[in-house]
Amino acid sequence: MYKLFIHYLIFIVFAFSEDFINLKKNITSLLNSTYITVFNDIIVVATEGGIYSYSNAFVNHSDQLQGYNLSTIAINDNYLWIGNNNDGIIQILNRDMMTHNIIDYITIGDIYDISFSNKYAFILAKSKYSVDEFNLIQYNNEDLDNPYYLSTILNIPNNPIDIEVLNEKLYIATNSGLKILNQLDNIILYNDWSIELENLSITKL
């Protein structure tokens, strides 16, 4: 009976050792924060291992995620849009920190920033296939039950690192000036760009 118990114990240790290692990695990664914001009066922190909130106590919400290596957070209409590194998916959580939708049907790499106009969500992300190429991806987000892809502007030059929408214009911070997309409908067709602060390195909007 004792030998049977030992064999059973060894089986359990080996059977669950990989899961334990993955759990340990995830817990450790939660210490490496990548973005912090305030959402519905609570502090929300994105990390390399998931997401948690703080309001008198820490609450881990990572069980709501499909991808855990998080890069950025944006808030739109009481929904949390979360960008990932490596596999560029967008995970949308509601005000209760529950999964509302996941956008994963466009192949992109690290997501750097997310910004919103009245009708659109814009995602600045690296290409999946080139670490030096930045792309601007546009989605229609009028119906959050069915946000859908519209277009991509490939290979934004001059190392863009931040985007912001103001008065229905999209501003992109680059290392050689502030690029402005003046018209947000049919961005591929019109390609209506201007530039301000030319030859200046803009690091944050």
Side-chain angles (χ1 to χ4, degrees), residues 39-163:
F39 179 59
N40 291 327
D41 298 322
I42 62 173
I43 296 172
V44 176
V45 183
T47 76
E48 293 178 356
I51 190 167
Y52 64 86
S53 64
Y54 178 78
S55 179
N56 300 319
F58 289 98
V59 180
N60 189 347
H61 305 281
S62 301
D63 60 338
Q64 294 298 310
L65 300 178
Q66 177 175 304
Y68 299 99
N69 188 0
L70 309 182
S71 58
T72 190
I73 295 175
I75 300 170
N76 187 49
D77 291 337
N78 284 319
Y79 287 89
L80 209 61
W81 289 54
I82 306 166
N84 276 54
N85 285 315
N86 302 326
D87 295 319
I89 63 174
I90 302 291
Q91 303 177 89
I92 303 173
L93 305 187
N94 63 22
R95 61 181 300 118
D96 298 317
M97 300 296 289
M98 304 292 288
T99 301
H100 181 79
N101 211 330
I102 295 176
I103 303 173
D104 62 355
Y105 45 78
I106 298 298
T107 301
I108 53 179
D110 297 351
I111 294 174
Y112 273 62
D113 202 4
I114 305 169
S115 192
F116 305 95
S117 68
N118 290 336
K119 297 189 295 184
Y120 306 121
F122 294 93
I123 290 88
L124 179 67
K126 279 194 172 182
S127 167
K128 183 76 170 179
Y129 308 106
S130 172
V131 296
D132 298 320
E133 181 179 321
F134 287 84
N135 299 329
L136 181 69
I137 302 97
Q138 180 186 30
Y139 297 89
N140 184 293
N141 68 333
E142 293 177 285
D143 179 7
L144 275 184
D145 291 327
N146 184 34
Y148 58 89
Y149 168 77
L150 289 172
S151 59
T152 298
I153 296 179
L154 298 172
N155 201 15
I156 304 293
N158 306 121
N159 193 31
I161 55 174
D162 198 11
I163 60 174

Side-chain angles (χ1 to χ4, degrees), residues 143-205:
D143 179 7
L144 275 184
D145 291 327
N146 184 34
Y148 58 89
Y149 168 77
L150 289 172
S151 59
T152 298
I153 296 179
L154 298 172
N155 201 15
I156 304 293
N158 306 121
N159 193 31
I161 55 174
D162 198 11
I163 60 174
E164 190 67 55
V165 173
L166 179 64
N167 297 326
E168 295 301 293
K169 293 184 179 182
L170 178 71
Y171 295 81
I172 304 180
T174 78
N175 61 11
S176 65
L178 184 64
K179 291 180 67 69
I180 305 168
L181 188 56
N182 298 292
Q183 194 283 129
L184 302 184
D185 297 315
N186 301 315
I187 60 174
I188 290 293
L189 178 63
Y190 289 103
N191 201 22
D192 184 11
W193 292 97
S194 59
I195 188 165
E196 300 287 345
L197 306 174
E198 195 167 4
N199 298 323
L200 292 180
S201 179
I202 312 297
T203 59
K204 188 69 178 174
L205 294 175

